[in-house]
Amino acid sequence: MGGKYVEKVVPSRNLSLLNKAKNHAEALALGAKFLVRPLRITYRYPIVKEIPDQGYRGLIVLDDNKCIGCSLCARICPASAMKMFQAGEKKLRPAVNYERCVFCGYCVDICPENALKHARTHDVVFESGESMLYIGEKFTLDPDTQILSGKVRIYRVRVDEKRGLIYEPIR
Amino acid sequence: MEQINNVGGFSAKKVDDKTLILFFGPQHPSSGHMRIIVKLDGDIIVESDPDIGYVHRTMEKLSETKEWIKNSVLFERLAILDAGNVTQAYIIALEKLLNVEPPPRALYLRTILSEINRISSHLYGMGIFAIMIGSSTGYMWFFGDREIMVQLAERITGSRLTHTYHIPGGVRRDVSNAFLEELEKGLNYIERRLKDYEVMFVNNPIIRSRLENVGVLSRERAIELGVTGPNLRASGVSYDVRVEEPYGAYQFVDFEVPVYKEGDALARTFQRFDEIRQSISILRQLIKSIPEGPVLNEKYLKLFTKKMKDIWDAEKRVKFPSIFANLRPPAGKAYGRVEEGRGEIFFYLESSGEAKPYRVRVVTPSFRNSILLKYLPVGERLADLPAIYGSIDYFPPEADR
Ligand code: SF4
Ligand code: SF4
């Protein structure tokens, strides 16, 4: 058990003219094969959208009813993206600044009440710096519902033995 | 010396009629966040001076201002393409300070992520290499296929690149059997594609003529310069941390570490593709033999509340005990080393018993390999510089820290 070293040499150095011709021909034939049936890894974003796997660490959503205002999420945030704010008398609530957030998910994982969760949305365009601050009610809205209610077609990606990745429409 | 002129998009200084000083870079991706100042006699390089540090972020100093667990997030930004391996080295050192050990299943999961990262790191390096020497097909293929590994890493960790998967005493999430099946499919795909790479890239006469006998690094020179990783092994030195000081689940699997003798750009290319083959084999063995059980050390599991246990049972994701926000390892020193895609990464941690490290020292493989850019290009043609640069898989953000 464990690893062992194995000495190797590069096979077929200094290709002969014949081998060069053969290798050229093989490379061209392979290219031609993919010309007819390309392996496409990309998809037509944003006409179609890919929704990541369950468990993807996307934007963060707060469940205001569950939160007890313990501040642990703000304390563990490595990017100082999450801060606590006064939300009414004797009530603290977190807010997140996506200008700083690195989506490490520490806040979600440390929350003892499970008041924070990740949405699967990750591609959001912000028009101004202020709009990147999610505070109060804005922080409690699930961005996934917006995306899933939009007009775009939603794809899911699946790993495939032959094609690498396959994007399957789920809607 | 004459002033700086623009020669074909490059800045250059003319020394005399025969000699020119050329500033190669720092645009990406020809040199990637660094530049090489080369002195040319005709088109032969007589002097080469790598100028690094463009993406220096004071990481070591910065880490002294952050709590222990937060630094894992900081350090994975060293090498975003191989983040799992970087944080693993840091966490191994931190675990020594805290005196906790991960349970077997966590070790397996760590190694699964390490090897997925190794494959994607090699494909990334090879992709950049390909485009540097003008093979855009290679570039598209390696980068495209890397996406499969990135997707698989995302399935485990929830994040494509910045996995932040390792925590003291274990890992953050468990995987399902469905994932292991998907991983197997991804490995079958990459294995099939390796044959295509051979035809289109490795055995392609054009690629061969650009790589054979270019940038030869002898065994003695490699040792003398303190080179690490695949570059070292491609020069005939048997050294791999996975063998010398096994961590994770490497002692539970059989694998080979290829060692090539020739030390030229071609040998380094073969070295990397062979390592991908070995990674596939390691991953297959891990899929078969992964044990059941918890993924976090008992010591922390004991701190779980009822709610945290329920979430673990339902979603197989670890909730952090609140102590994680305030880890205070006893005063002491520890190190962690891991074989990354590009070589050995080394962390030295010093704790004074506080919530933040007293000192962190990181030695990265790319930094140790960057010295090659001073010696390997000398005596070669200018046109071979990209081939040499690409073949050593140098990653500037990792070197600069
Ligand atoms: S950790 Fe959870 S409960 Fe505590 S303040 Fe943050 S969101 Fe609220
Ligand atoms: S995901 Fe990470 S960076 Fe973002 S708010 Fe949570 S703890 Fe902070």
Side-chain angles (χ1 to χ4, degrees):
Chain A
M1 285 280 149
K4 60 173 189 298
Y5 302 109
V6 177
E7 288 202 357
K8 298 208 160 190
V9 277
V10 175
S12 64
R13 274 180 181 269
N14 300 319
L15 295 173
S16 68
L17 204 58
L18 192 70
N19 276 335
K20 275 187 187 160
K22 185 174 149 272
N23 289 5
H24 268 308
E26 276 176 5
L28 283 171
L30 187 64
K33 189 181 129 197
F34 283 111
L35 198 64
V36 183
R37 193 148 191 255
L39 278 176
R40 226 179 68 179
I41 291 283
T42 52
Y43 58 97
R44 291 179 8 258
Y45 183 88
I47 303 166
V48 295
K49 265 195 160 173
E50 183 226 333
I51 186 124
D53 207 38
Q54 203 87 45
Y56 183 81
R57 303 205 309 249
L59 297 186
I60 302 153
V61 192
L62 171 74
D63 186 336
D64 198 70
N65 296 324
K66 283 191 189 164
C67 176
I68 52 169
C70 70
S71 307
L72 271 174
C73 52
R75 268 183 57 205
I76 204 164
C77 177
S80 313
M82 198 162 282
K83 292 259 162 71
M84 300 306 287
F85 286 86
Q86 207 74 39
E89 252 182 72
K90 287 197 198 155
K91 189 174 145 188
L92 281 174
R93 286 294 175 268
V96 63
N97 181 359
Y98 286 119
E99 220 170 337
R100 301 192 66 100
C101 177
V102 295
F103 300 97
C104 63
Y106 275 6
C107 52
V108 174
D109 282 355
I110 203 160
C111 177
E113 297 299 314
N114 211 21
L116 296 170
K117 67 163 191 176
H118 284 290
R120 285 195 272 171
T121 307
H122 56 104
D123 45 349
V124 183
V125 178
F126 297 103
E127 285 173 349
S128 64
E130 299 87 74
S131 66
M132 297 176 88
L133 181 65
Y134 278 49
I135 188 168
E137 205 202 325
K138 192 176 174 190
F139 194 18
T140 62
L141 303 175
D142 190 340
D144 284 354
T145 48
Q146 277 174 28
I147 288 218
L148 292 168
S149 65
K151 280 226 175 70
V152 291
R153 296 184 64 192
I154 308 288
Y155 278 52
R156 272 227 41 209
V157 65
R158 181 165 68 75
V159 177
D160 183 76
E161 230 159 73
K162 296 223 163 59
R163 315 278 308 154
L165 293 180
I166 290 187
Y167 292 92
E168 291 173 327
I170 55 168
R171 197 193 66 211
Chain B
M1 208 180 275
E2 283 181 30
Q3 73 194 71
I4 296 179
N5 296 312
N6 195 313
V7 184
F10 286 93
S11 308
K13 279 184 204 165
K14 193 173 157 190
V15 182
D16 56 45
D17 274 352
K18 269 176 66 193
T19 321
L20 192 72
I21 291 177
L22 190 71
F23 295 83
F24 185 86
Q27 300 90 334
H28 210 307
S30 77
S31 71
H33 306 316
M34 60 99 67
R35 70 177 174 181
I36 310 170
I37 303 164
V38 284
K39 193 168 175 192
L40 294 167
D41 177 357
D43 73 339
I44 304 291
I45 298 170
V46 288
E47 237 178 80
S48 170
D49 185 12
D51 182 13
I52 64 174
Y54 281 81
V55 275
H56 176 55
R57 288 151 290 169
T58 67
M59 275 204 185
E60 287 179 6
K61 197 69 197 162
L62 205 57
S63 70
E64 292 167 17
T65 69
K66 290 180 184 291
E67 282 78 0
W68 290 94
I69 194 146
K70 298 183 183 176
N71 282 327
S72 159
V73 181
L74 173 70
F75 286 124
E76 74 183 349
R77 276 149 182 78
L78 277 172
I80 218 81
L81 73 179
D82 205 356
N85 281 319
V86 177
T87 39
Q88 189 174 0
Y90 174 72
I91 294 290
I92 285 175
L94 182 54
E95 280 171 346
K96 284 183 188 163
L97 286 177
L98 290 165
N99 199 16
V100 288
E101 272 185 11
R105 189 173 173 90
L107 289 178
Y108 272 71
L109 290 172
R110 283 183 179 183
T111 306
I112 288 179
L113 185 66
S114 286
E115 291 305 312
I116 287 178
N117 271 188
R118 188 179 323 278
I119 297 177
S120 68
S121 161
H122 280 346
L123 287 176
Y124 182 103
M126 285 291 121
I128 297 279
F129 181 30
I131 194 69
M132 278 185 186
I133 55 175
S135 164
S136 47
T137 308
Y139 174 54
M140 294 293 169
W141 281 15
F142 301 147
F143 260 69
D145 290 343
R146 167 177 170 264
E147 180 65 22
I148 287 128
M149 290 296 133
V150 171
Q151 285 285 349
L152 288 167
E154 183 212 296
R155 299 272 205 277
I156 308 181
T157 65
S159 177
R160 290 166 55 84
L161 298 170
T162 48
H163 313 306
T164 334
Y165 187 54
H166 308 79
I167 46 175
V171 294
R172 287 173 70 184
R173 294 180 186 196
D174 202 352
V175 299
S176 63
N177 286 338
F179 165 78
L180 295 176
E181 279 164 29
E182 205 163 25
L183 174 59
E184 180 69 46
K185 283 184 193 157
L187 296 178
N188 291 345
Y189 173 78
I190 298 286
E191 194 172 40
R192 264 174 7 102
R193 287 288 278 167
L194 282 170
K195 296 196 188 98
D196 290 348
Y197 302 161
E198 270 176 15
V199 174
M200 187 60 91
F201 191 76
V202 186
N203 289 331
N204 191 323
I206 301 172
I207 304 292
R208 283 289 182 108
S209 62
R210 298 277 328 252
L211 303 186
E212 267 187 35
N213 303 324
V214 167
V216 181
L217 174 67
S218 69
R219 186 189 148 88
E220 292 68 37
R221 198 77 165 134
I223 295 170
E224 186 185 54
L225 295 175
V227 175
T228 172
N231 298 330
L232 179 70
R233 293 192 286 276
S235 289
V237 183
S238 307
Y239 196 87
D240 187 315
V241 184
R242 293 175 294 171
V243 182
E244 302 299 327
E245 208 180 308
Y247 53 92
Y250 288 112
Q251 70 263 43
F252 309 128
V253 290
D254 277 320
F255 63 102
E256 290 177 0
V257 178
V259 180
Y260 279 86
K261 281 212 183 77
E262 297 95 329
D264 62 348
L266 187 64
R268 289 192 279 275
T269 310
F270 269 82
Q271 178 74 34
R272 294 206 165 79
F273 283 117
D274 268 13
E275 290 192 4
I276 295 180
R277 278 191 197 93
Q278 285 306 316
S279 295
I280 293 175
S281 143
I282 293 173
L283 282 168
R284 288 210 174 112
Q285 296 175 48
L286 292 171
I287 294 172
K288 280 210 193 80
S289 56
I290 184 165
E292 293 294 326
V295 299
L296 191 64
N297 187 291
E298 265 306 301
K299 182 175 160 191
Y300 296 126
L301 282 179
K302 273 199 297 229
L303 304 173
F304 269 38
T305 61
K306 164 111 186 28
K307 263 199 188 111
M308 292 159 80
K309 279 196 193 109
D310 288 347
I311 291 164
W312 165 252
D313 288 337
E315 299 175 33
K316 293 289 173 200
R317 100 188 138 82
V318 170
K319 280 298 229 177
F320 292 175
S322 58
I323 187 177
F324 273 20
N326 195 19
L327 286 174
R328 283 171 195 273
K333 301 164 186 172
Y335 71 90
R337 52 205 288 239
V338 156
E339 186 74 23
E340 229 191 276
R342 267 158 275 89
E344 174 186 345
I345 182 152
F346 177 90
F347 274 90
Y348 166 79
L349 309 184
E350 200 166 326
S351 168
S352 52
E354 297 294 314
K356 295 167 186 174
Y358 173 73
R359 174 82 170 100
V360 178
R361 171 84 180 123
V362 199
V363 184
T364 62
S366 284
F367 181 71
R368 286 173 59 183
N369 288 335
S370 63
I371 189 79
L372 288 177
L373 291 167
K374 185 165 177 63
Y375 295 104
L376 283 193
V378 176
E380 306 272 354
R381 292 223 139 99
L382 178 63
D384 288 335
L385 186 57
I388 294 169
Y389 183 98
S391 74
I392 67 170
D393 194 6
Y394 173 68
F395 191 63
E398 184 185 80
D400 292 348
R401 301 187 298 285

